[in-house]
Amino acid sequence: MSKKVAFLQGNEAAAHGALYAGCKFFAGYPITPSTEVAEVMSAELPKVGGKFIQMEDEIGAMAALLGGALAGKKALTSTSGPGLSLKQELIGYGCIAEIPCVVFNVMRGGPSTGMPTGPSQSDVMCARWGTHGDHAAIALMPASVQECYDMVVRAFNLAETYRMPVFVMPDEIVAHMRERIEFREPGELEVIDRAAPSVPPSEYKPYDTTFGDVPPLAAFGSGYKFHVTGLNKLPDGFPTTKAEYVQAEEERQLRKVYAKVDDIVEFEEFQLDDAEICVVAYGSTSRSARYAVNEARAQGIKAGMFRIKTFWPFPDKQIKALADKVKGFIVPEMNLGMCSIEVERCAQGKAQILGINRVDGEPVNPEQILEKMKEVK
Amino acid sequence: MSEEKKLPRIEIIEKYCKGCYICVEFCPKKVLEMKGFVVSVKDLGACIKCMQCELRCPDFAIKVHAE
Amino acid sequence: MAYDYESRIRPGKLPHIWCPGCGHGIVMKGLIRAMDTLSLKKEETAIVSGIGCASRLPGYMDCCTLHTAHGRAAAFATGVKLARPEMNVILVGGDGDGTAIGGNHFIHACRRNIDMTYIIMNNYIYGMTGGQFSPATPTGHKASTTPYGNPDPAFDIVKLAIGAGATFVARGTAYHANQIDKLIAEAIQHKGFSVVEILDDCPTTYGRRNKYKSVVEMMNRLKDVAVPVKAAEKMSAEQLEGKILTGVLHKVERPEYCDEYAKVIERAGGNK
């Protein structure tokens, strides 16, 4: 039986990826350039008995999302810069209360209204540092329509595995371009469902660390009753200001992710084996980088690309290793140097770092990257 | 003994009481009084078990048990 | 004789944090009596709140409880209810949480007529943060941020709810304690978005600044200001001057949101 193939937009593919993952709840608010995700979900979810709601603003959308997730649903929202900024407080709520959900954020020109139909990659730091307080972050960077589909499936798996909000962040180009896509067969991609607690309701504690760093989350309405709050809390979910609990819980919520970095981080190494120049790229910019690397190789330049697929957690280990090997990194991105900061942090001066930074609403093109290679000493 | 009306038992949970005076004020028979910041029974015999104290107490600090 | 409130209180949570004479405890007792009247099952009931004194209520209640962010209770609860329409969903919160930062979610929850009950414990002030004025603080009254008298006009929360589309709206007071559970029970039984405003009192941050010498004086003020809506029909305008109507003030039937969404699923062929 041949695979179901379609010619879809990134946003549309993301919605179908969510359905594949078993998402049965969407709460959103219209915003260019991510509205198509909501439109597809409003059509597809009712077909499978799922629930779609368009809320009164992005804050309401994020709140309803968390409510739906606490009621046991795999829940998705889609937004863009201004909406991502509005959702920040409740993204933090999702982190501290440890509520699995997926935030699909399409990056457009910022800040503020910026360039609604123009591409950018300037929300990456927002995904990591957007909300107040210490918290972990997982953010995936699709570079194709197929990856919009596949990465949303992975994002749900990560959200359930680590019990937290997970970002999928295409730039506007990836979200709006159309490409051939293969719908995945049942069983083809792993789908991780929420594990029910192993203890009866009377013994259930929503943050019981005897189950390790990711305690199972029961569902409202499933026979379990428990308390959820945004305050620092005890294993039974009730607020506490006791120093040892607050410190231990904050550290656990980071440890649960950063002790598993090797399971989470994903990347693509393209022609890096003997590379002297490494282009670090993500999203649609990586397509220009791939073209530039091929061109460079044709001209005898030993260049390669490291494509970041999970921006958070950042691939520290891999970039550190490359810094010992290559003469220089070229970091092309549609912002004024956010990824460069992270590459510099990892390279620790061991390699030259040259940024290509476009915020004019136009993608970085291969010629720019090729040109920049000449500056690597 | 049997003709005498049975006296209720007024249970006061002292660590809950915050001395707000609502029960003392709204008891129609002046059964209660405030001692320090905790309510106490002044005249149990006057109690007509109207339950106003229990109904109005914001702190779950007073209960009227009919014996 | 003695009412068993503790059966719905989480063990070990009392005494609660509310100040001496604060009416929130009275409202919570009314809610417990209403839940008993309707014998709501703990596992099938969710109490959702925002942030503020009143919003600490769910922490004491033995059922599914969700203490959300400031002003966001109605939006969180909409998610819970839409995901699980069979659950009883009760919202609690204060006047500031509900009508200031939460105003947008409040009016949209009313407009959608989603089946839940919203108990707004209106004590005219932001209590937890120390007594700032709220959208319900009467004009001219004192608060920590209106030392020269409040210049703001106040919402009429009942009219706001009716105007936004809530299909059951009632008002009670912390003085009329035995009416509270009746209003809440009727609100919960009503299919659609029900709002029960309870005029409450905050002796610590509102009473002191507005010349109420005691909790009892605040309670007596509630007794004097309230006029049952039935009685008001027979009273003249002068008699009603400065009075506040209590009881069931609005009750209509309108399609309920989750029912309507079930029809969407039907139309989409989702029930096959």
Side-chain angles (χ1 to χ4, degrees):
Chain A
M1 216 264 281
S2 67
K3 270 242 177 96
K4 185 177 176 218
V5 173
F7 186 62
L8 287 186
Q9 198 192 56
N11 282 336
E12 294 164 339
H16 289 287
L19 294 165
Y20 181 92
C23 170
K24 285 286 192 307
F25 193 89
F26 181 93
Y29 186 81
I31 183 167
T32 300
S34 74
T35 314
E36 294 84 357
V37 181
E39 287 169 341
V40 171
M41 292 303 265
S42 68
E44 296 304 320
L45 274 176
K47 289 181 188 169
V48 293
K51 305 290 175 72
F52 166 90
I53 186 165
Q54 180 177 301
M55 292 294 283
E56 49 271 16
D57 55 37
E58 282 95 345
I59 304 170
M62 192 67 205
L65 188 79
L66 294 171
L70 279 172
K73 305 289 180 187
K74 287 190 175 182
L76 172 73
T77 188
S78 69
T79 192
S80 180
L84 184 66
S85 293
L86 287 174
K87 291 179 191 289
Q88 285 303 327
E89 182 192 2
L90 295 185
I91 286 167
Y93 189 98
C95 291
I96 197 168
E98 299 181 83
I99 302 170
C101 58
V102 173
V103 178
F104 188 82
N105 174 64
V106 180
M107 295 190 275
R108 75 191 218 178
S112 183
T113 314
M115 191 187 290
T117 55
S120 101
Q121 294 176 308
S122 52
D123 299 353
V124 288
M125 287 297 178
C126 199
R128 179 72 188 85
W129 304 110
T131 194
H132 59 287
D134 287 286
H135 62 90
I138 300 177
L140 312 182
M141 298 287 148
S144 69
V145 169
Q146 185 71 51
E147 278 192 341
C148 284
Y149 184 105
D150 295 349
M151 283 193 178
V152 164
V153 176
R154 183 162 193 252
F156 272 106
N157 291 344
L158 291 167
E160 295 299 337
T161 304
Y162 297 98
R163 207 181 133 177
M164 60 189 281
V166 170
F167 297 94
V168 179
M169 310 236 296
D171 52 71
E172 181 275 335
I173 294 170
V174 173
H176 268 171
M177 71 183 177
R178 285 184 182 282
E179 272 185 332
R180 180 182 182 283
I181 167 174
E182 285 179 7
F183 281 68
R184 299 296 184 182
E185 304 289 324
E188 188 179 347
L189 294 183
E190 183 189 24
V191 171
I192 297 169
D193 290 320
R194 200 165 304 171
S198 53
V199 297
S202 54
E203 292 161 33
Y204 178 65
K205 289 188 182 140
Y207 305 97
D208 186 349
T209 49
T210 52
F211 295 95
D213 282 347
V214 187
L217 173 64
F220 279 3
S222 68
Y224 285 80
K225 52 185 168 66
F226 55 98
H227 185 65
V228 176
T229 179
L231 288 161
N232 291 109
K233 67 249 185 255
L234 299 165
D236 62 10
F238 288 94
T240 183
T241 52
K242 288 204 184 69
E244 70 278 16
Y245 275 111
V246 175
Q247 182 84 13
E249 277 289 280
E250 289 268 340
E251 286 175 356
R252 173 178 66 79
Q253 288 186 356
L254 266 68
R255 187 177 59 240
K256 73 178 179 181
V257 170
Y258 298 118
K260 299 281 190 201
V261 166
D262 293 342
D263 298 344
I264 301 171
V265 166
E266 273 191 1
F267 50 87
E268 177 196 348
E269 293 183 308
F270 180 68
Q271 302 196 40
L272 277 174
D273 298 343
D274 63 342
E276 293 167 2
I277 298 170
C278 171
V279 183
V280 178
Y282 54 101
S284 62
T285 307
S286 66
R287 303 169 83 112
S288 297
R290 191 185 306 276
Y291 190 96
V293 163
N294 284 330
E295 279 298 306
R297 285 284 178 178
Q299 297 170 16
I301 302 169
K302 288 184 177 159
M305 174 180 72
F306 181 89
R307 179 164 74 93
I308 297 172
K309 295 169 78 173
T310 51
F311 201 94
W312 309 110
F314 196 75
D316 288 19
K317 197 163 69 175
Q318 292 73 18
I319 297 292
K320 282 191 175 89
L322 281 166
D324 290 331
K325 219 176 75 167
V326 301
K327 281 193 275 176
F329 288 104
I330 293 174
V331 187
E333 51 192 329
M334 292 186 277
N335 60 50
L336 291 175
M338 295 182 184
C339 185
S340 291
I341 294 169
E342 296 301 312
V343 173
E344 275 162 35
R345 176 175 62 76
C346 297
Q348 294 174 333
K350 288 191 221 125
Q352 203 182 350
I353 293 167
L354 301 161
I356 301 172
N357 306 101
R358 289 199 77 152
V359 289
D360 55 5
E362 295 298 325
V364 175
N365 58 53
E367 292 68 28
Q368 284 182 276
I369 299 170
L370 259 173
E371 195 53 34
K372 190 61 83 174
M373 289 181 184
K374 296 187 180 109
E375 297 174 35
V376 176
K377 302 210 183 27
Chain B
M1 253 311 270
S2 58
E3 297 77 29
E4 226 175 77
K5 72 175 167 34
K6 284 207 185 51
L7 289 177
R9 178 171 62 86
I10 297 180
E11 177 192 3
I12 290 170
I13 302 139
E14 298 202 340
K15 64 179 169 69
Y16 288 1
C17 173
K18 294 175 186 158
C20 73
Y21 270 90
I22 286 178
C23 59
V24 171
E25 173 65 23
F26 292 109
C27 167
K29 295 297 178 186
K30 300 305 163 208
V31 170
L32 305 166
E33 65 180 347
M34 202 57 75
K35 282 216 176 109
F37 277 96
V38 179
V39 66
S40 74
V41 178
K42 184 173 67 178
D43 178 6
L44 184 59
C47 174
I48 56 168
K49 293 179 273 190
C50 70
M51 307 304 284
Q52 283 295 302
C53 57
E54 185 182 295
L55 178 69
R56 295 181 178 283
C57 171
D59 291 288
F60 302 77
I62 190 164
K63 291 177 181 299
V64 180
H65 305 278
E67 291 310 80
Chain C
M1 248 335 231
Y3 198 96
D4 173 19
Y5 290 106
E6 281 70 13
S7 66
R8 284 190 186 267
I9 297 278
R10 280 190 168 114
K13 293 300 175 193
L14 292 177
H16 56 60
I17 59 155
W18 296 312
C19 303
C22 164
H24 293 350
I26 300 169
V27 178
M28 183 154 81
K29 291 170 93 165
L31 172 59
I32 292 170
R33 293 195 303 273
M35 293 170 78
D36 286 341
T37 307
L38 303 174
S39 41
L40 300 188
K41 287 208 183 60
K42 294 178 178 180
E43 293 75 16
E44 290 166 9
T45 302
I47 303 180
V48 185
S49 68
I51 294 292
C53 297
S55 291
R56 292 305 286 259
L57 186 148
Y60 303 110
M61 297 294 293
D62 186 16
C63 57
C64 294
T65 50
L66 178 51
H67 186 196
T68 70
H70 196 30
R72 312 305 171 189
F76 269 84
T78 298
V80 174
K81 183 69 180 182
L82 183 62
R84 289 213 191 234
E86 67 282 7
M87 284 193 84
N88 311 303
V89 176
I90 298 164
L91 295 178
V92 294
D95 44 301
D97 179 74
T99 68
I101 185 169
N104 196 26
H105 309 306
F106 176 58
I107 57 173
H108 286 275
C110 291
R111 174 182 60 81
R112 286 195 196 93
N113 195 35
I114 188 162
D115 185 23
M116 55 180 78
T117 295
Y118 192 178
I119 301 164
I120 297 187
M121 298 141 90
N122 179 6
N123 57 3
Y124 302 122
I125 201 90
Y126 281 100
M128 181 165 282
T129 40
Q132 300 72 38
F133 77 100
S134 85
T137 306
T139 307
H141 285 221
K142 293 282 179 52
S144 70
T145 44
T146 54
Y148 307 107
N150 181 24
D152 281 37
F155 274 138
D156 178 323
I157 293 175
V158 162
K159 285 186 183 148
L160 181 63
I162 295 170
T167 49
F168 179 96
V169 182
R171 181 188 283 127
T173 88
Y175 173 80
H176 303 87
N178 54 12
Q179 182 192 32
I180 292 173
D181 53 290
K182 316 256 179 331
L183 293 177
I184 293 175
E186 192 174 348
I188 293 171
Q189 275 179 307
H190 173 80
K191 179 130 196 175
F193 196 76
S194 306
V195 176
V196 180
E197 177 193 13
I198 306 284
L199 296 187
D200 218 328
D201 71 308
C202 171
T204 305
T205 70
Y206 178 76
R208 266 185 313 120
R209 289 198 181 85
N210 290 282
K211 293 194 289 305
Y212 289 96
K213 290 189 226 35
S214 71
V215 167
V216 168
E217 201 182 309
M218 294 192 82
M219 279 292 162
N220 284 329
R221 177 249 166 191
L222 290 174
K223 179 173 76 176
D224 301 336
V225 83
V227 168
V229 60
K230 294 277 178 303
E233 283 149 14
K234 299 191 274 312
M235 290 168 68
S236 68
E238 295 77 28
Q239 287 171 312
L240 289 172
E241 187 58 39
K243 299 292 184 186
I244 297 176
L245 298 184
T246 61
V248 177
L249 305 169
H250 180 70
K251 185 175 169 60
V252 293
E253 295 302 323
R254 194 156 62 78
E256 189 274 337
Y257 190 79
C258 295
D259 286 352
E260 289 308 296
Y261 197 81
K263 291 179 194 160
V264 165
I265 291 176
E266 187 60 37
R267 293 198 291 270
N271 289 338
K272 288 194 194 54

